[in-house]
Amino acid sequence: MDPQHLSRLQEEQAKAVRDTEHQIKQMEEYKSDYKTLKERLRTLPDELTHDVMVPFGKFAFMPGKLVHTNEILVLLGDNWFVEQSAKQAEEIAQRRIEELNKQLNKLCAQKKLLEPRLEFTSDFQNHIKGQTGVKEIVEEYDAEKERLWDEQHKKNVRKQREAARVTQETYQPDKMETKNQNCDSDLWARLDALEKEETERRELERGDSDKEENEMDKMSLAREDRLQYETPLDRYRSKSDSDDDDDDNDGVGTEDASDDVEEDSDCYSTSDECEFAVGKDSKRPVVKTIRFTHTDTPSYQTTKSSYDEDKTIQSPADIYKLYSPASILKKTGPSQRGKLNQKKGSVKVDTEQAPSKSVGFSSDGDFRPQTKLPCAADPPRTVPTSSLKAFSGTVLETSQDEQSMVMGPKPDGNHNVNPTEEPPKRMSKFKASRMAKQGFS
Amino acid sequence: MAEGAQKRLQSELDKFQAVQKDVAKHVGLRQQLEGQLSENSLVKEELDRLQEGAGVFKMVGPALIKQDLKEAKQNVQKRIDYINGELKRHEKLIKDLEKTADSHRETLNKLQQQFQQAQVKAAAKA
């Protein structure tokens, strides 16, 4: 604040306070006058006459007498007089005193209001001078500078976003996506779906014990890759792994699980999922394995060489690559994919495929249990993001245009949901699944 | 251009000041009326307290003229009413004057801005 302005303000405030004080003084004077008058009026009627020295002009007095001591002419105001007795005059005087008191009170209150204002201003002045312990924090604002900074900031943000996008594209898309989808509800839905898959898979596993070891290997790898997203299932898995015959994965699994737990602690309510996993484990001590079946479609993404070479799922990213993100979102609805996975044969037929693993659960957001299992009645759950098809029972190896969408290779009837083996021949997935079912059953 | 603006500014300023004077005058009158009003209401109160038969005098110049109590009361009442009316009239006047003063002030500001701009231009040119 400008010290000049402050001093001016101080002046005005001081003036106001002074005026009030002046008025108060005046009132006090009036009051004392009235009091003496009252006294005089009281004593006046004591005598019939009073001997007094009457002033003559400025310098002279003359002895005289006060007569009619009880007749008082009282000025009421506005040139009105009234003749009253002394007592009555006394009363009038008393009333006037009371009026004055009221005025005085008002003035005092006013003064009380004005004085703090003055104090504040002087305090402020002191602050500016730095005399008190309080320091004024002045943040300079320059409109021009702020504008420049804004522009720079926007650029930086843009760059950052670009960088993030680039890393997302080049690295592991699914991982980024998993990071992005931070919805608990989605995760819970996924967890439920995974749970179902697990139960079904376990049943399947009973008949497929040989695959477990392979699957465990792959699973651990998958786990490592999909740390963030896989957490609940990983923990799940890790717990099941501990029960597993396969010792290799125990350490890995638990490691990963713990890693996952740590990493995802902020993402999920880890405790709940852990308990959940534990519960599951307690029921069935079967090892959870992730089996992937690959459909025999060409790889459409080249970033993962392992995937490209032998079409095996080495990492969740491979799974993701089976599903082109575009196709996932646009062409293949989750329900469709779920239906895809309903093919009975699809899940189990994978063994023929050399590297493929049979995955207990369907690909794509719809983690329906394998159709063999009685869980077929479950409504397909659609996990929102395509990338989350970590445990797709069948790795649908789809190309961008979804042509190569096929369920796991099924030698015994390719109930390939993939309706479109070739671009020209497009068949709806529902139809394909239906056909596949018919073919299978 | 600058001179013209300046002249306009000056005339506008004068008008504004005249209006402000009017406003101040009327405000002063109003305050006076207020004082009279309070005085007369006091008088009325006292007169009401008065018993019958007491002498009421009105001072006309150096002379005191006896008045009837009732008459005095009525007179005072009339005076009070008159003062109230005057007060309202003055208030209205003040409001109107203030409005004109505000409008003058605005035009004054505008002119000032123009004048400043003109000055700046002149300075830039020069």
Side-chain angles (χ1 to χ4, degrees):
Chain A
M1 288 243 327
D2 195 359
Q4 267 187 342
H5 293 157
L6 269 184
S7 58
R8 176 95 180 79
L9 179 67
Q10 217 176 6
E11 263 180 49
E12 283 293 318
Q13 283 175 341
K15 182 162 170 285
V17 171
R18 271 203 306 273
D19 286 344
T20 321
E21 277 175 359
H22 180 68
Q23 278 179 329
I24 288 175
K25 222 174 16 170
Q26 257 193 337
M27 294 286 154
E28 296 276 343
E29 274 182 30
Y30 291 161
K31 200 167 145 190
S32 66
D33 280 347
Y34 273 112
K35 278 194 177 145
T36 46
L37 177 65
K38 247 180 93 179
E39 194 54 36
R40 177 63 64 240
L41 284 170
R42 204 167 57 77
T43 59
L44 203 55
D46 289 347
E47 306 278 333
L48 267 176
T49 61
H50 288 272
D51 287 322
V52 291
M53 290 297 261
V54 183
F56 252 51
K58 269 197 232 175
F59 312 105
F61 288 93
M62 256 197 73
K65 280 196 177 155
L66 271 176
V67 294
H68 298 286
T69 51
N70 213 21
E71 291 160 33
I72 315 275
L73 260 177
V74 183
L75 173 66
L76 298 178
D78 198 23
N79 291 343
W80 288 99
F81 287 87
V82 82
E83 205 175 24
Q84 298 271 53
S85 72
K87 234 189 192 169
Q88 286 166 335
E90 239 185 283
E91 287 166 14
I92 291 175
Q94 182 59 39
R95 269 180 254 137
R96 294 210 184 151
I97 287 173
E98 280 163 15
E99 279 286 327
L100 281 174
N101 278 334
K102 276 191 210 165
Q103 288 280 336
L104 263 175
N105 287 338
K106 271 194 207 168
L107 282 174
C108 278
Q110 188 178 334
K111 191 173 154 198
K112 273 186 195 167
L113 278 177
L114 288 174
E115 275 174 351
R117 286 190 204 170
L118 190 61
E119 249 184 73
F120 290 150
T121 333
S122 41
D123 273 349
F124 210 46
Q125 269 189 337
N126 287 338
H127 288 169
I128 288 181
K129 286 181 199 166
Q131 286 172 2
T132 59
V134 178
K135 175 126 176 64
E136 185 182 355
I137 300 169
V138 177
E139 193 167 313
E140 290 173 358
Y141 177 80
D142 184 8
E144 185 61 31
K145 280 183 193 167
E146 289 290 325
R147 198 174 54 79
L148 287 172
W149 181 86
D150 263 338
E151 287 173 11
Q152 192 61 38
H153 182 65
K154 274 182 202 160
K155 283 182 201 162
N156 291 342
V157 164
R158 228 177 287 147
K159 274 184 211 163
Q160 198 183 11
R161 286 210 194 112
E162 284 294 333
R165 216 178 300 144
V166 164
T167 50
Q168 183 177 358
E169 284 166 9
T170 57
Y171 189 45
Q172 289 191 2
D174 59 344
K175 199 166 179 181
M176 293 308 294
E177 285 203 21
T178 59
K179 274 183 192 163
N180 289 341
Q181 42 156 249
N182 233 346
C183 336
D184 285 343
S185 57
D186 298 337
L187 292 164
W188 281 114
R190 177 135 169 71
L191 189 59
D192 293 342
L194 291 173
E195 222 184 300
K196 277 202 178 71
E197 284 173 354
E198 275 300 328
T199 45
E200 284 161 15
R201 201 157 37 89
R202 278 207 188 105
E203 293 187 17
L204 288 171
E205 278 167 22
R206 285 190 198 122
D208 271 334
S209 52
D210 4 288
K211 299 187 184 105
E212 276 179 11
E213 295 185 7
N214 288 339
E215 288 158 4
M216 290 314 290
D217 287 331
K218 295 274 161 85
M219 221 168 59
S220 62
L221 281 173
R223 216 180 298 131
E224 285 167 12
D225 286 337
R226 308 188 48 138
L227 286 178
Q228 227 179 357
Y229 169 71
E230 303 296 349
T231 308
L233 196 53
D234 290 344
R235 266 178 260 126
Y236 205 151
R237 253 182 291 140
S238 68
K239 285 186 171 106
S240 65
D241 286 348
S242 58
D243 304 333
D244 203 0
D245 327 331
D246 199 345
D247 294 334
D248 304 342
N249 295 322
D250 278 356
V252 179
T254 45
E255 260 181 47
D256 292 339
S258 61
D259 289 345
D260 293 343
V261 173
E262 286 163 15
E263 274 195 38
D264 299 329
S265 59
D266 55 341
C267 293
Y268 321 105
S269 55
T270 54
S271 58
D272 295 343
E273 290 162 357
C274 275
E275 288 163 20
F276 172 79
V278 170
K280 271 283 177 183
D281 282 337
S282 57
K283 284 182 203 170
R284 295 175 183 235
V286 182
V287 173
K288 293 206 184 306
T289 58
I290 299 177
R291 286 174 250 155
F292 304 94
T293 55
H294 282 266
T295 60
D296 55 355
T297 54
S299 66
Y300 66 87
Q301 292 206 357
T302 57
T303 51
K304 287 292 168 185
S305 59
S306 65
Y307 174 76
D308 292 341
E309 287 164 9
D310 49 3
K311 302 264 190 336
T312 56
I313 301 291
Q314 300 289 349
S315 69
D318 299 339
I319 306 168
Y320 180 74
K321 287 188 183 62
L322 288 182
Y323 293 34
S324 70
S327 64
I328 286 169
L329 294 174
K330 294 182 207 162
K331 291 162 190 173
T332 66
S335 59
Q336 283 183 338
R337 267 179 254 135
K339 286 209 179 60
L340 282 182
N341 297 326
Q342 278 172 15
K343 319 319 173 273
K344 313 270 180 177
S346 67
V347 177
K348 279 302 152 185
V349 192
D350 54 6
T351 44
E352 281 67 14
Q353 299 279 331
S356 63
K357 302 177 183 285
S358 62
V359 183
F361 29 94
S362 50
S363 61
D364 258 333
D366 179 20
F367 297 93
R368 295 187 55 124
Q370 307 204 345
T371 52
K372 263 195 201 172
L373 305 178
C375 306
D378 289 348
R381 291 198 205 196
T382 62
V383 178
T385 62
S386 57
S387 62
L388 292 183
K389 321 305 184 261
F391 311 101
S392 52
T394 58
V395 181
L396 297 181
E397 301 174 15
T398 62
S399 62
Q400 282 285 343
D401 55 356
E402 209 184 306
Q403 290 179 2
S404 51
M405 275 270 288
V406 266
M407 289 304 291
K410 309 147 195 46
D412 59 353
N414 194 358
H415 313 297
N416 206 343
V417 192
N418 189 356
T420 63
E421 295 283 315
E422 300 144 5
K425 189 178 180 175
R426 285 184 176 254
M427 192 178 4
S428 81
K429 290 204 180 153
F430 296 95
K431 193 172 181 189
S433 65
R434 247 182 301 127
M435 282 170 45
K437 256 193 216 167
Q438 288 166 9
F440 186 70
S441 56
Chain B
M1 173 59 189
E3 286 183 4
Q6 198 170 10
K7 276 187 192 163
R8 263 184 286 154
L9 198 69
Q10 198 63 41
S11 63
E12 196 63 39
L13 197 67
D14 292 336
K15 276 191 232 166
F16 182 60
Q17 278 177 345
V19 171
Q20 274 208 315
K21 271 190 209 158
D22 275 343
V23 172
K25 188 178 76 173
H26 279 90
V27 167
L29 275 176
R30 187 171 163 281
Q31 276 178 340
Q32 198 186 19
L33 281 171
E34 270 183 20
Q36 281 182 345
L37 182 69
S38 59
E39 204 183 341
N40 275 288
S41 32
L42 254 180
V43 170
K44 190 165 176 314
E45 266 179 44
E46 289 292 338
L47 284 176
D48 291 337
R49 276 181 211 275
L50 269 186
Q51 297 163 359
E52 289 294 330
V56 181
F57 296 89
K58 174 111 177 138
M59 189 162 93
V60 180
L64 276 179
I65 296 172
K66 194 160 160 72
Q67 293 268 348
D68 196 17
L69 186 61
K70 284 184 194 161
E71 235 183 271
K73 281 189 192 172
Q74 279 174 4
N75 279 348
V76 174
Q77 188 61 47
K78 273 187 209 161
R79 189 146 168 81
I80 285 174
D81 297 336
Y82 170 71
I83 289 173
N84 274 328
E86 284 285 301
L87 209 62
K88 281 182 195 161
R89 191 174 67 90
H90 271 80
E91 274 180 8
K92 192 166 157 297
L93 262 177
I94 285 168
K95 247 195 247 175
D96 293 339
L97 278 176
E98 271 187 0
K99 274 187 204 164
T100 47
D102 281 339
S103 65
H104 275 287
R105 203 182 296 137
E106 279 176 24
T107 47
L108 207 65
N109 280 336
K110 278 186 213 163
L111 279 179
Q112 241 184 359
Q113 282 177 4
Q114 285 178 5
F115 183 59
Q116 279 173 357
Q117 285 172 2
Q119 270 189 334
V120 163
K121 278 185 198 169
K125 277 184 196 171

